[in-house]
Amino acid sequence: MHATEFLSKNTAIPDIPVLVLYGTERYLKLEALKLIPGLEDDAEDVALTRRAGTDADLKSVCDELLTVSMFGDRRIVIIDDADDFVSQNRTSLEKYVANPSKTSLLVLDVKSWPKNTKLAKATDRIGLNLECGELKGAALVKWLIKTAADVHHKQIDRDAAALIVQLAGDSLGLLQQELDKLAALVGDAETITPEDVTRVVGGWRVETTWAMLDAVRDGEMSKALVCL
């Protein structure tokens, strides 16, 4: 399941033993982590351990997962950049997933997660595999339109959404920030128009580009370089 679909339909990660976040879109991974109960609120009944994949060793990770927390009933172990960790410990991870701790959550943050592997199939059965890949083209525009409606209760058509992408790029985190600004700008208005987008999103880039071209035309190369 793609993370955008899951995030639009759920307010919390279910009570599962394994969560895999795969792909390169960091914004989606952070949004998914926010839905782990207690993690954002620093709940007293949650014990969190976070390790970089390059520094994590399987024995320590398993010890964390299988140890009863002194602070409550829930233990969370997050392995960031875990591709090498998974590759080096695949067989042992398969054994753990076959009989995981019922009071712990293992989170694997990876770039690649082939669906045809034994481990991926196992985590899909007992846990949750969320694709956090980049959105492009029509899928990205559709996400913008849906996010504007779901988060800000604003309508935005395809042309206006496509213009946001054209001016701001395809980073979901940055696009979310631009939508926040646009929603604040239009206030009580129900619709975000292309004119609103032109005024707010990347407006400084447009203005600076024109200033640069004017400087080139006038022979002021030092000014043009500053604008560039």
Side-chain angles (χ1 to χ4, degrees), residues 5 12 21 48 65 73 87 93 112 122 132 134 138 162 187 196:
E5 179 184 353
L21 305 175
L48 171 64
L65 291 168
D73 299 328
S87 296
L93 285 171
S112 177
C132 299
E134 295 180 349
D196 297 326

Side-chain angles (χ1 to χ4, degrees), residues 11 15 38 56 58 84 88 113 125 131 136 142 144 152 156 174 186 202 214 227-228:
T11 58
D15 187 10
L58 184 67
D84 290 342
Q88 295 166 7
W113 192 252
R125 283 194 300 270
E131 180 185 354
K136 298 290 184 181
K142 183 178 179 181
L144 270 172
H152 299 293
I156 182 170
L174 180 56
V186 301
D214 287 342
C227 291
L228 178 62

